[in-house]
């Protein structure tokens, strides 16, 4: 009798274990595509779909131009050059927003760095002196922004708005409200040089984006950025120096502005206090379109790059159809509002889904 009882026990055990395992694994199988992991992939696919729609609109509105392969290739390179400068600025902006901040002074920093590096005194040091000055000015102003926000405890909106006004004013003072011409052939050649048929400006953008992607996704700095933006208090309790990290984020944004200043100066072969006007809005809009949360803690470099390309394509589309800049700005404004609304709905749905998955796993 005892033998029969002992034999039946092992036969009943495996089904129970398989059922329990299935309950635990089910939420994990749904979590990548339907949850946090797949959210970025779906968003990027959506942005690519928007690009395809814009190209189709271009083909339908200007079939005479899109019927010429040479024009299509040249126009693609034009869009790449148009996106290059704003794209570099957007990389720095993305880090700041993911970290829970905002930087309204990026356009003014580009102008200040451009004006400072094209002064007669700076140009006398050659291309190296001009590039070093632009990067140093951008980095220094970014550090000041970070110090005001982190140690001065100013609201990022107010601190960077004040810097926007101050930097524009200083740029106008240095240039005496005049356009400063760049006489350096190396600097000017950055915008006109092509490597394998592709503008050097596009290569610079790709290099900055690649560096930003690695920094955000493969380093401790990137993980700390997400932690600080998601929950600063929790990050502090986890041992992260939130103030110092905030300074580093704004310094990174300023450094990107310094790089963009060199690129923009090369394109215009000059610099003035009014250059890079509204770049801050373009950078913020591109980051939002790319899925970066204004509240911080979430965002991708690739998404921000796609956002820049979308806006550059829209600008190009309006230009080839001879439409007004006012209409273009209205369309861009509508896209920004729509992106924020979609973002709020998606984030709310994602939060509810993750909560349900955690509850199922616990059960």
């Amino acid at each position: 009798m005892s033998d029969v009882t002992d034999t039946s026990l092992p036969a009943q055990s495996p089904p129970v274990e398989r059922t329990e395992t299935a309950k635990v694994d089910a939420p994990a199988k749904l979590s990548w595509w339907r949850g946090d992991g797949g959210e970025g992939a779906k968003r990027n696919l959506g942005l690519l779909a928007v690009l395809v729609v814009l190209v189709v609109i271009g083909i339908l509105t200007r079939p005479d131009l899109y019927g010429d392969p040479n024009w299509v290739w040249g126009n693609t390179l034009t869009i790449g050059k148009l996106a290059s400068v704003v794209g570099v600025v957007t990389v720095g902006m993305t880090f700041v927003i993911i970290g829970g901040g905002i930087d309204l002074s990026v356009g003014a920093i580009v102008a200040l760095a451009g004006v400072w590096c094209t002064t007669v005194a700076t140009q006398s040091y050659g291309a190296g002196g001009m590039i070093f000055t632009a990067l140093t000015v951008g980095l220094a102003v970014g550090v000041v922004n970070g110090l005001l926000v982190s140690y001065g405890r100013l609201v990022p909106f107010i601190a960077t708005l004040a810097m926007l006004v101050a930097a524009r004013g200083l740029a106008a003072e240095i240039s005496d409200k005049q356009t400063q011409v760049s006489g350096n052939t190396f600097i000017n050649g950055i915008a006109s040089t092509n490597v394998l048929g592709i503008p050097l400006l596009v290569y610079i953008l790709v290099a900055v984006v690649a560096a930003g992607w690695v920094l955000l996704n493969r380093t401790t700095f990137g993980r700390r950025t997400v932690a600080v933006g998601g929950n600063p208090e929790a990050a502090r309790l986890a041992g992260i120096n939130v103030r110092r990290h905030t300074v580093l984020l704004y310094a990174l944004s300023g450094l990107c502005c310094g790089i963009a200043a060199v690129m923009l100066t090369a394109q215009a072969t000059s610099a003035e206090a009014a250059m890079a006007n509204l770049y801050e809005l373009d950078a913020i809009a591109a980051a939002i379109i790319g899925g970066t949360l204004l509240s911080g803690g979430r965002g991708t470099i690739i998404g921000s790059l796609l956002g820049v390309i979308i806006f550059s394509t829209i600008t190009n589309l309006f230009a080839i159809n001879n439409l007004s800049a006012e209409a273009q700005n209205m369309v861009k404004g509508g896209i920004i509002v729509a992106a924020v609304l979609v973002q709020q709905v998606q984030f709310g749905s994602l939060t509810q889904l993750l909560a349900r998955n955690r509850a199922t796993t616990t059960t």
Side-chain angles (χ1 to χ4, degrees), residues 147-174:
L147 292 174
L148 291 175
V149 172
S150 58
Y151 292 94
R153 297 187 178 182
L154 294 180
V155 177
F157 180 90
I158 299 299
T160 57
L161 180 63
M163 183 59 71
L164 181 156
V165 178
R168 289 283 184 190
L170 182 57
E173 181 67 23
I174 293 174

Side-chain angles (χ1 to χ4, degrees), residues 113-114 117 129-139 254-255 257-259 261-262:
C117 78
M130 295 176 67
I131 295 174
F132 176 79
T133 299
L135 298 182
T136 302
V137 170
L139 183 64
L255 182 62
C257 291
I259 298 173
V262 176

Side-chain angles (χ1 to χ4, degrees), residues 1-333:
M1 192 70 179
S2 59
D3 292 340
V4 175
T5 304
D6 295 338
T7 304
S8 62
L9 287 176
Q12 295 177 354
S13 299
V16 175
E17 292 177 355
R18 285 194 296 268
T19 303
E20 291 175 353
T21 303
K23 287 182 179 180
V24 174
D25 290 343
K29 292 179 181 179
L30 297 175
S31 63
W32 187 85
W33 180 252
R34 293 182 59 191
D36 197 17
E39 190 266 340
K42 289 186 287 186
R43 181 182 59 250
N44 291 341
L45 288 175
L47 293 175
L48 289 175
V50 171
L51 281 175
V52 171
V53 170
L54 291 175
V55 172
V56 171
I57 292 175
I59 294 174
L60 294 177
T61 55
R62 293 303 303 268
D64 54 327
L65 295 179
Y66 278 89
D68 182 2
N70 293 327
W71 181 89
V72 172
W73 174 246
N75 189 58
T76 302
L77 296 181
T78 299
I79 293 174
K81 293 178 69 173
L82 185 64
S84 60
V85 180
V86 179
V88 170
V89 175
T90 302
V91 171
M93 180 69 78
T94 301
F95 274 92
V96 171
I97 297 178
I98 293 175
I102 196 76
D103 191 350
L104 300 180
S105 65
V106 289
I109 296 176
V110 172
L112 178 60
V115 166
W116 208 318
C117 78
T118 53
T119 60
V120 175
T122 303
Q123 291 194 54
S124 65
Y125 290 98
M130 295 176 67
I131 295 174
F132 176 79
T133 299
L135 298 182
T136 302
V137 170
L139 183 64
V141 177
V143 169
V144 172
N145 277 336
L147 292 174
L148 291 175
V149 172
S150 58
Y151 292 94
R153 297 187 178 182
L154 294 180
V155 177
F157 180 90
I158 299 299
T160 57
L161 180 63
M163 183 59 71
L164 181 156
V165 178
R168 289 283 184 190
L170 182 57
E173 181 67 23
I174 293 174
S175 63
D176 195 25
K177 299 180 182 180
Q178 302 296 319
T179 300
Q180 297 182 165
V181 178
S182 170
N184 190 283
T185 55
F186 178 84
I187 296 294
N188 297 341
I190 293 176
S192 58
T193 300
N194 291 343
V195 180
L196 300 177
I198 299 176
L200 182 59
L201 292 174
V202 176
Y203 285 103
I204 296 175
L205 171 61
V206 171
V208 173
V209 168
W213 185 90
V214 172
L215 188 61
L216 181 62
N217 297 282
R218 294 293 184 267
T219 66
T220 303
F221 182 87
R223 290 190 291 271
R224 288 178 176 176
T225 299
V226 175
V228 169
N231 192 326
E233 182 61 21
R236 185 188 66 81
L237 294 175
I240 300 175
N241 190 326
V242 176
R243 289 184 177 181
R244 182 178 63 187
H245 194 82
T246 300
V247 174
L248 293 176
L249 289 175
Y250 281 95
L252 178 61
S253 177
L255 182 62
C256 289
C257 291
I259 298 173
V262 176
M263 298 168 67
L264 190 57
T265 299
Q267 283 184 309
T269 66
S270 62
E272 58 181 351
M275 68 189 295
N277 189 36
L278 297 181
Y279 270 35
E280 54 277 357
L281 298 184
D282 289 341
I284 294 172
I288 294 172
I289 292 296
T292 302
L293 288 181
L294 278 174
S295 56
R298 184 182 296 269
T300 64
I301 299 297
I302 299 301
S304 295
L305 174 63
L306 291 174
V308 172
I309 296 175
I310 285 175
F311 273 111
S312 299
T313 304
I314 291 174
T315 300
N316 178 263
L317 192 61
F318 272 70
I320 64 177
N321 284 282
N322 299 318
L323 298 177
S324 65
E326 292 76 12
Q328 175 183 321
N329 291 333
M330 287 188 290
V331 171
K332 286 184 177 181

